[in-house]
Amino acid sequence: MELAILGLGRMGGNMAVRLMKGGHRVVVWNRSRGKVDEHIALGMEGTNLLAALPGMLKQSPRVCWFMLPAGQTTDDAIDQIAPLLSPGDIVIDGANSRWTDDKRRAPKLAEMGLKYMDVGVSGGIWGLTEGYSQMIGGDEATFQFCEPIFKTLAPPTGNYGLMGTHGAGHFVKMVHNGIEYGMMQAYGEGYEILKKSEYSPDLLKVSQVWQQGSVVRSWLLDLAVNAFSKHGNDLEAIKGYVADSGEGRWTVEAAMQEDVPAPVITLSLIQRFVSRQENSFSAQVLAALRNEFGGHEVKSV
């Protein structure tokens, strides 16, 4: 098939390469010219002029897959290119967008005769070689037309599927990320308990023992092996500051709206906020209160 990839960051750039290697004709766009030139050197066609992109696609319907930062940046790019497309053309958003954005965009684009799909993409920087898990929202006919693209991006085991109508793909990906928060937090807490114990075992060796045959084996554990191998048991070069893309927050909000108790995901999100405080004032209040009611020692700054 033929498609355009708009946005050549870590995910979008690697996806374009995997698609080209899979036999598709890939046209790329990026705001910075350097990334475009890098992909042209690999055998693709490209431009940093958004208005020029539709004319570079020869097949009909044209497929434009956006891999830009979620939110206003993606909205602006879609708004700019949509008037340049023809009825029947397909717009796909593969960023970490909020599912409510999809429910807003789909009818707006439908009024222009355009098809819309939302794709939650998981795989990170490893997707280029291992393939991407894809959670897809939209209508069945558009899904079937684009399926050769999804199949090429996916692992050989075919880890992609239509999750439901517009917004379903990003909703499922949001919950996926919420689960990921909880899993990562559990690993982090477990390793800290081990590190501070009287035994203080070699965390790389522990991870390697757990990798096969263990109930807690997972891809995240494989990545822990990589991290301890690179940075050592103490991870001295890494500051304990954990950002979030917003999907953990949205998962907690969705749980509240559906009256679903989600304590693990909620607390793992809150722990990320804690990691960003150089000196937690709430912890200072706790220490002061313990000192007042029990005479417990406080540590001076």
Side-chain angles (χ1 to χ4, degrees), residues 19-294:
L19 287 165
M20 184 193 71
K21 289 182 176 179
H24 302 276
R25 178 175 179 263
V26 182
V27 178
V28 297
W29 172 87
N30 199 67
R31 287 171 292 184
S32 60
R33 181 71 202 187
K35 287 285 186 181
V36 175
D37 291 338
E38 288 176 15
H39 285 74
I40 290 175
L42 294 173
M44 304 176 208
E45 295 180 45
T47 180
N48 65 328
L49 301 175
L50 198 60
L53 188 68
M56 300 174 70
L57 295 170
K58 302 172 183 177
Q59 293 182 358
S60 181
R62 292 174 287 191
V63 179
C64 294
W65 187 314
F66 290 78
M67 290 301 296
L68 297 169
Q72 194 62 49
T73 300
T74 296
D75 276 334
D76 289 345
I78 291 176
D79 288 345
Q80 289 177 54
I81 204 169
L84 307 177
L85 299 176
S86 303
D89 288 348
I90 300 166
V91 172
I92 300 175
D93 177 21
N96 280 334
S97 295
R98 188 181 173 97
W99 84 96
T100 50
D101 290 344
D102 305 313
K103 294 173 72 174
R104 169 176 51 80
R105 290 177 190 145
K108 180 180 177 181
L109 293 172
E111 290 177 359
M112 304 172 70
L114 304 176
K115 302 291 187 179
Y116 180 78
M117 300 206 84
D118 54 281
V119 183
V121 182
S122 181
I125 58 175
W126 295 86
L128 174 59
T129 55
E130 304 298 321
Y132 300 90
S133 166
Q134 298 155 85
M135 296 137 271
I136 304 160
D139 66 79
E140 181 70 34
T142 308
F143 169 78
Q144 290 182 2
F145 179 80
C146 295
E147 191 167 9
I149 298 171
F150 304 141
K151 186 174 182 179
T152 300
L153 287 172
T157 45
N159 300 82
Y160 66 92
L162 185 64
M163 303 291 111
T165 189
H166 300 110
H170 280 144
F171 191 89
V172 174
K173 175 57 163 53
M174 173 194 74
V175 175
H176 161 285
N177 279 30
I179 294 170
E180 175 189 297
Y181 277 40
M183 293 172 66
M184 291 174 67
Q185 184 64 29
Y187 277 122
E189 291 174 8
Y191 282 121
E192 184 167 2
I193 293 168
L194 290 169
K195 187 175 186 299
K196 292 184 176 179
S197 73
E198 62 180 296
Y199 303 106
S200 188
D202 184 315
L203 298 184
L204 173 58
K205 185 176 292 184
V206 168
S207 304
Q208 291 169 332
V209 168
W210 286 349
Q211 266 187 298
Q212 299 296 330
S214 156
V215 173
V216 298
R217 65 187 183 274
S218 72
W219 186 51
L220 285 173
L221 183 62
D222 294 338
L223 297 180
V225 169
N226 293 349
F228 288 125
S229 297
K230 290 178 185 176
H231 305 290
N233 260 5
D234 294 330
L235 302 178
E236 291 179 351
I238 298 178
K239 187 175 181 179
Y241 181 103
V242 188
D244 72 282
S245 63
E247 292 193 276
R249 304 180 191 218
W250 302 339
T251 306
V252 172
E253 290 173 9
M256 294 170 66
Q257 290 170 0
E258 302 295 339
D259 293 332
V260 175
V264 173
I265 294 174
T266 303
L267 287 174
S268 66
L269 171 65
I270 292 170
Q271 281 301 112
R272 293 198 176 195
F273 301 157
V274 172
S275 77
R276 300 169 202 175
Q277 296 181 305
E278 292 290 343
N279 189 21
S280 168
F281 184 70
S282 61
Q284 289 175 269
V285 172
L286 292 178
L289 290 176
R290 290 182 77 246
N291 177 255
E292 293 298 324
F293 71 68

